[in-house]
Amino acid sequence: MKRLINAFLILFLLSCSSDAINWTTPNSLDDDFMNQINKHRASVDLPELEFNPIFFEQAKRFAAQIADNPHMREQLTREEEQNGNYSKAIIAQTGANSVSGCTGFSAAINLDPTTGVVEAMIRNSCKNVIESRNANTIGGAVFQNSNTGDYFYVTFIGRI
């Protein structure tokens, strides 16, 4: 009986951990998003950006915050631009001498989460961030609102 209880406990703990958000390791959507940014940079003769876990962690946290408040996404973006909390955290932890962030949004019914995102962001005011000539580091994250299915994209790009 004791072994049976231990086996159930192990299975329970393993099933719980799969739902946890990992703030420092990108999932496949996050990786695809950052790869799309690097492909775009290569197409306009800019060097690829190197992944940074601190940039990624802050991008993931900001994407989660926006996804939790989908009707407030514009206000949150404006607030972040004004107070720069996420950028300040990146600078404090990495010593980066420049950090810029940019956000994107797509309704699940309008845009596949793995294609066209970077092009849409470049058309909608992210061009200067994504095409920064001085940048060498990136963290990009994707988060989905569980109620609406909408995807939220955040990238922080800077120089260390």
Side-chain angles (χ1 to χ4, degrees):
M1 183 67 171
K2 199 174 190 181
R3 287 184 185 173
L4 185 60
I5 291 173
N6 284 340
F8 281 126
L9 182 61
I10 290 170
L11 288 174
F12 174 74
L13 291 174
L14 288 174
S15 66
C16 289
S17 64
S18 64
D19 292 336
I21 297 165
N22 193 327
W23 299 105
T24 56
T25 305
N27 61 34
S28 58
L29 277 179
D30 303 322
D31 275 334
D32 183 69
F33 176 49
M34 288 184 280
N35 288 338
Q36 285 185 53
I37 290 173
N38 274 327
K39 284 179 188 173
H40 172 78
R41 286 178 62 87
S43 74
V44 293
D45 294 326
L46 291 170
E48 285 192 5
L49 302 168
E50 186 177 322
F51 172 77
N52 184 288
I54 303 298
F55 279 60
F56 170 74
E57 177 183 355
Q58 296 303 325
K60 195 74 172 179
R61 291 184 186 282
F62 192 26
Q65 182 182 7
I66 296 171
D68 286 343
N69 301 283
H71 300 293
M72 298 277 295
R73 67 180 181 273
E74 291 167 359
Q75 291 88 329
L76 283 169
T77 303
R78 197 173 306 121
E79 176 185 311
E80 166 55 22
E81 287 172 1
Q82 290 170 359
N83 65 31
N85 289 338
Y86 294 89
S87 298
K88 288 176 187 171
I90 290 170
I91 291 168
Q93 293 176 60
T94 64
N97 54 23
S98 72
V99 176
S100 298
C102 199
T103 61
F105 160 78
S106 72
I109 57 171
N110 295 333
L111 191 62
D112 184 306
T114 60
T115 57
V117 175
V118 173
E119 291 79 9
M121 289 176 78
I122 289 170
R123 285 192 305 271
N124 296 317
S125 76
C126 287
K127 186 176 176 102
N128 289 341
V129 173
I130 292 173
E131 295 184 1
S132 172
R133 295 203 172 277
N134 296 322
N136 62 4
T137 304
I138 187 173
V142 182
F143 220 92
Q144 186 177 28
N145 180 289
S146 58
N147 296 323
T148 63
D150 298 339
Y151 289 92
F152 296 84
Y153 304 84
V154 176
T155 183
F156 284 109
I157 292 173
R159 180 156 194 84
I160 293 182

